[in-house]
Amino acid sequence: MSLAAANKAEFNKMAAEYDLKPAFLKINAQLAEAIRDRLEWIGIDWVSEEDKPEDGKEIHLLDYACGTGVVSRALGPYVTHTLGIDISPGMVAKFNEHAQKAGLDPERIHAVEGDLCSDPPTVSSTEASSTNFDIAVVCAGFHHFNDTELATKRLAERLKPGGVLVIIDFLNPSGTQGQVPEDVKHMVKVAGFDEPTMRRLFEGAGLVDFNLWVMPEKVVLEREKDGKTTRLERTVFFARGGSRLNSYCVLP
């Protein structure tokens, strides 16, 4: 089974209970707070309370590997349109359920099933081919991807000139990829990334002004195996890079 297929199967299993697990709730709350605290650092001209609908200002967010929508909920007040994409239809259903329960307009926020890293990309939405995104974010999904170089390029291609890509994932000491536990090797490619690797990926995708910030507060991962729960502290980084203002690209 491919890495993508394994992730699709595993996250489909987790989807119904994902937002009910205390460990996931705490991690997602930490990440959401960190995202909101880094708005200025991300560098987008966000929508504010002073902006009026009649002004026509729009900020489009691509939440890739969106899960149930932690990034979309954190950035919701600052954008006008959100497209979530996830390989798991179960996660997509939960994302849309949350949006519906919140009374949000599906024309402005919804998720679809898809994989931008397949060849060709498989996404059940023409929006995913747009080059009109002001910001694309992957939160805690990058270590699951089989080809992070391709993923970075595909996401960068969907940014408008001046748009920003943000990757949030686990930090490893420089020059190492860490040890992936045996029981998750079927769905996790690497344990994390170092700064030189992330810089290479961003610059290789044609992105500029790379910057990496490390969350001071660690997150605690919980894994259950043989009836036992193990806890592992991990350091999280935010990496960002911008699309050139004069960029132009042709999507696959």
Side-chain angles (χ1 to χ4, degrees):
M1 181 184 292
S2 70
L3 197 68
N7 275 287
K8 183 175 183 176
E10 291 292 338
F11 281 101
N12 273 337
K13 290 179 187 177
M14 288 191 280
E17 303 294 324
Y18 183 84
D19 289 320
L20 302 177
K21 293 183 177 293
F24 288 151
L25 286 172
K26 182 173 181 180
I27 291 173
N28 287 342
Q30 288 175 276
L31 294 174
E33 181 179 6
I35 290 168
R36 289 189 291 265
D37 285 346
R38 304 305 293 176
L39 292 178
E40 184 175 351
W41 175 84
I42 290 171
I44 296 293
D45 183 19
W46 306 102
V47 171
S48 68
E49 293 181 356
E50 290 73 33
D51 293 311
K52 307 299 180 184
E54 57 268 24
D55 295 337
K57 182 177 180 179
E58 293 187 350
I59 299 294
H60 291 249
L61 163 67
L62 173 58
D63 185 355
Y64 188 63
C66 62
T68 63
V70 59
V71 169
S72 295
R73 291 192 291 275
L75 292 178
Y78 313 104
V79 303
T80 57
H81 296 78
T82 297
L83 174 65
I85 301 177
D86 201 283
I87 199 170
S88 160
M91 288 293 190
V92 166
K94 278 295 177 183
F95 181 109
N96 289 328
E97 180 183 313
H98 284 310
Q100 183 180 25
K101 286 182 177 178
L104 301 175
D105 183 352
E107 292 292 322
R108 292 188 173 269
I109 176 170
H110 67 282
V112 297
E113 180 184 352
D115 183 359
L116 293 181
C117 301
S118 60
D119 193 14
T122 55
V123 185
S124 59
S125 169
T126 57
E127 299 164 276
S129 293
S130 170
T131 58
N132 194 43
F133 291 101
D134 297 272
I135 177 170
V137 183
V138 181
C139 182
F142 220 52
H143 59 281
H144 290 281
F145 296 173
N146 186 57
D147 190 338
T148 52
E149 182 175 351
L150 177 62
T152 309
K153 289 179 179 178
R154 290 271 170 89
L155 291 164
E157 287 167 350
R158 283 156 174 82
L159 296 174
K160 66 168 58 172
V164 173
L165 173 64
V166 177
I167 304 296
I168 304 169
D169 217 288
F170 301 126
L171 183 71
N172 276 338
S174 185
T176 72
Q177 292 188 325
Q179 185 66 38
V180 178
E182 285 294 328
D183 58 323
V184 296
K185 277 188 174 180
H186 64 296
M187 59 183 293
V188 174
K189 180 74 171 183
V190 297
F193 305 88
D194 61 13
E195 182 169 355
T197 297
M198 295 308 300
R199 181 182 293 275
R200 175 180 58 80
L201 289 172
F202 274 62
E203 293 179 351
L207 298 170
V208 297
D209 299 328
F210 174 83
N211 204 314
L212 186 141
W213 173 76
V214 178
M215 273 181 59
E217 180 184 13
K218 295 182 183 295
V219 301
V220 178
L221 304 178
E222 290 189 359
R223 293 172 41 247
E224 294 183 6
K225 183 180 179 182
D226 299 328
K228 296 181 181 179
T229 300
T230 59
R231 294 173 173 81
L232 175 66
E233 284 192 343
R234 294 301 308 271
T235 299
V236 173
F237 70 84
F238 283 44
R240 59 89 63 207
S243 177
R244 297 179 188 273
L245 288 173
N246 61 348
S247 66
Y248 176 77
C249 60
V250 178
L251 295 178

